[in-house]
Amino acid sequence: MDRHLECGEFLFDAPVVFSAAHLPTGVRFVGDDSHQARVGVMPRAGGEVRWFEVAPSLVGHTLNAYEDGTDVVVDIVRHPEGFDIRGFGGSRPTLDRWRVDLAAGKVRKDRLDDRIREFPRVNSRCAGRPYRYGYAAAVELYAPPTGPGDPRPDTGFSSALLKHDLVRGTAEAHEFGRLGAVGEGVFVPAELPVAEDDGYVMAYVHDPEHGAADLVILSAQDFTGEPVACIHLPVRVPLGLHGNWVPGDPWGPRP
């Protein structure tokens, strides 16, 4: 998963398969109850992948992973048993920790937070290392309807960013209003950071009043406080996934 992990790669094998037969209905993937869910650890130095069986589930995205002695700790957004890959309408993905015990040959599972969320992010300087803080978007798409006329803010997104303190076991939420819609939050470290959360969380937020997007910048250390900056954009920016902020031109000068 990351160059810092000596184990090499962590693999998810979910009971979800591509189905050409369902393509005319707009569905590409379906659940396969006959397929055993499992996770695999690939040695960094080469060799066979070790597989470990887990309960039927689907891993949405990974927050982070690191080694702890003979264990591989992986923090994930997990869609539980009974998820419906065709709609996700009733799925409630949670933040879970899987501890793969390489010595005992088993996986221990713990729930870190019950609130529905997706698109987890971490300070990239902590990727593959023990860490304390994680960030995610509360996701309306996975929440059950509240009743007739439920005013969903935007398909797939809710109106809050979450900050998790995995040492204290607490979470903070920065709310953007019931009819707002926030995408994935990206952590940007301060110029000379003195702590893991010394920096900013940046995200596009739909402003329903103006029908356009704002680029909102939060202080990661004052997460529930007023934004450091709110840049009003003249158009709506689609709430895409997995953005990264890279200083300068990563490709270098062009001919």
Side-chain angles (χ1 to χ4, degrees):
M1 176 172 292
D2 186 90
R3 68 179 186 274
H4 304 297
L5 282 174
E6 293 300 323
C7 69
E9 298 287 337
F10 194 85
L11 311 173
F12 301 104
D13 187 10
V16 177
V17 297
F18 174 77
S19 175
H22 286 79
L23 287 178
T25 67
V27 174
R28 292 179 295 170
F29 302 99
V30 296
D32 181 359
D33 294 337
S34 67
H35 188 84
Q36 172 63 53
R38 58 182 186 166
V39 295
V41 178
M42 178 186 296
R44 179 174 172 81
E48 293 186 4
V49 176
R50 291 186 62 186
W51 291 102
F52 304 81
E53 293 186 357
V54 295
S57 59
L58 174 66
V59 174
H61 295 93
T62 303
L63 175 59
N64 199 10
Y66 59 92
E67 289 178 306
D68 182 15
T70 60
D71 292 352
V72 180
V73 179
V74 186
D75 294 338
I76 56 174
V77 172
R78 174 180 174 271
H79 296 263
E81 297 87 339
F83 66 88
D84 183 357
I85 189 68
R86 293 167 294 181
F88 289 113
S91 186
R92 301 180 64 87
T94 54
L95 182 63
D96 289 11
R97 171 166 289 177
W98 285 357
R99 182 177 286 271
V100 182
D101 188 332
L102 299 177
K106 61 183 181 181
V107 180
R108 301 193 300 274
K109 297 174 283 294
D110 295 299
R111 177 65 44 79
L112 298 179
D113 196 281
D114 284 321
R115 182 164 181 172
I116 299 170
R117 97 287 315 293
E118 254 292 4
F119 318 124
R121 295 294 297 243
V122 67
N123 181 340
S124 60
R125 299 184 181 190
C126 299
R129 297 185 171 96
Y131 71 114
R132 179 172 180 174
Y133 300 105
Y135 308 88
V139 181
E140 279 290 336
L141 176 62
Y142 304 109
T146 58
D150 181 26
R152 299 286 173 156
D154 193 23
T155 300
F157 295 87
S158 180
S159 52
L161 283 174
L162 308 176
K163 176 187 178 181
H164 294 282
D165 184 333
L166 300 177
V167 173
R168 294 184 176 179
T170 59
E172 298 177 275
H174 189 102
E175 302 284 349
F176 293 97
R178 183 66 180 86
L179 296 179
V182 59
E184 180 184 63
V186 179
F187 182 86
V188 181
E191 185 174 4
L192 296 172
V194 296
E196 180 184 326
D197 64 342
D198 187 4
Y200 309 91
V201 177
M202 308 175 72
Y204 288 123
V205 181
H206 176 62
D207 185 340
E209 182 177 345
H210 298 99
D214 294 336
L215 175 60
V216 177
I217 305 174
L218 305 178
S219 167
Q221 294 185 329
D222 184 21
F223 198 70
T224 60
E226 291 296 316
V228 174
C230 184
I231 303 169
H232 302 293
L233 303 179
V235 296
R236 179 171 182 173
V237 177
L239 297 175
L241 309 181
H242 312 314
N244 286 286
W245 298 88
V246 180
D249 186 347
W251 306 109
R254 294 172 173 79

